[in-house]
Amino acid sequence: SLIPVVEKHLSKNTGLLAPARRPDFRAERRNMNRYDLIFIIQSDVPKDEIDEIVERYKGIVASLKGTVVKAEKWGVRRLAYKIEKQGRGFYVLLDFVGDTPVIRELERNLKFDDKVLRYQTVKRAIQVSMADIEKEMAGARKEKPEEIKEAVPAPETAVAAEAAAPGEAAPS
C-alpha cells in the first residue's frame, strides 16, 4: 500500500507526521518471570571450583538485572545414566527472577562450560512481583539461622545427654 510510504516521507521531510514514541515498558517493568535452573557439574571438580562456577552464574543473573532468590548445592549424586562417561555428578539449583535475555546468556555460557554435564531451565511462574520475591527472601533469611541451630546440637546438650545415660556407653 502507498500509505506507509507517504507517512514515512511526510514524517521525515516535513515533521508533520512525526512517529509516535512508544514508552519502553521493558525498562520500567517490575514484574518478571521466575525460573529454576538445575545444572550438573562433573563430580571430580574440587569444591572451591564448584563455588566459583556457582558464583559466576549468579553474577550473570545479577549483571542482566535479574535477582537470585536462592542457590542450593545438592551435592554429588548418582546419575540415571552415564553422561560423557561420568556416573556421578554434583547437582546445583539456581532459583532466580529475570527476563529472557538472562536465560539466553546463562544457557549460552552453560553450553560452552566443559565442567557442566547437563542443565535445564524451567519457568516456575509468570509475572512475579519483586515485592513478593523480596518478602520470600527476607523470610528465608530469618529461617536460615534457626535451621543451623537445630542441625548442630549445642555442646552442653550433648554432654547432658551423655551424663543422663551413663549405662548406655558403647562396648569396647
Side-chain angles (χ1 to χ4, degrees), residues 39 41 45 49-57 113 115:
F39 56 98
I41 301 171
V45 174
E49 281 189 51
I50 291 173
D51 294 338
E52 289 174 12
I53 291 170
V54 172
E55 288 302 317
R56 180 174 4 136
Y57 292 118
D113 194 343
K115 294 175 183 155

Side-chain angles (χ1 to χ4, degrees), residues 45-107:
V45 174
K47 188 164 181 72
D48 58 334
E49 281 189 51
I50 291 173
D51 294 338
E52 289 174 12
I53 291 170
V54 172
E55 288 302 317
R56 180 174 4 136
Y57 292 118
K58 286 169 64 175
I60 290 172
V61 172
S63 70
L64 294 172
K65 297 179 183 162
T67 304
V68 176
V69 178
K70 66 180 173 183
E72 293 180 359
K73 297 173 190 161
W74 291 350
V76 177
R77 296 179 180 211
R78 190 174 69 82
L79 301 175
Y81 55 91
K82 289 190 176 192
I83 302 171
E84 296 177 14
K85 299 181 183 179
Q86 301 276 327
R88 302 177 74 75
F90 191 95
Y91 282 73
V92 178
L93 167 72
L94 196 62
D95 181 4
F96 65 95
V97 177
D99 276 338
T100 308
V102 177
I103 301 298
R104 282 192 210 123
E105 185 64 19
L106 278 172
E107 290 185 351

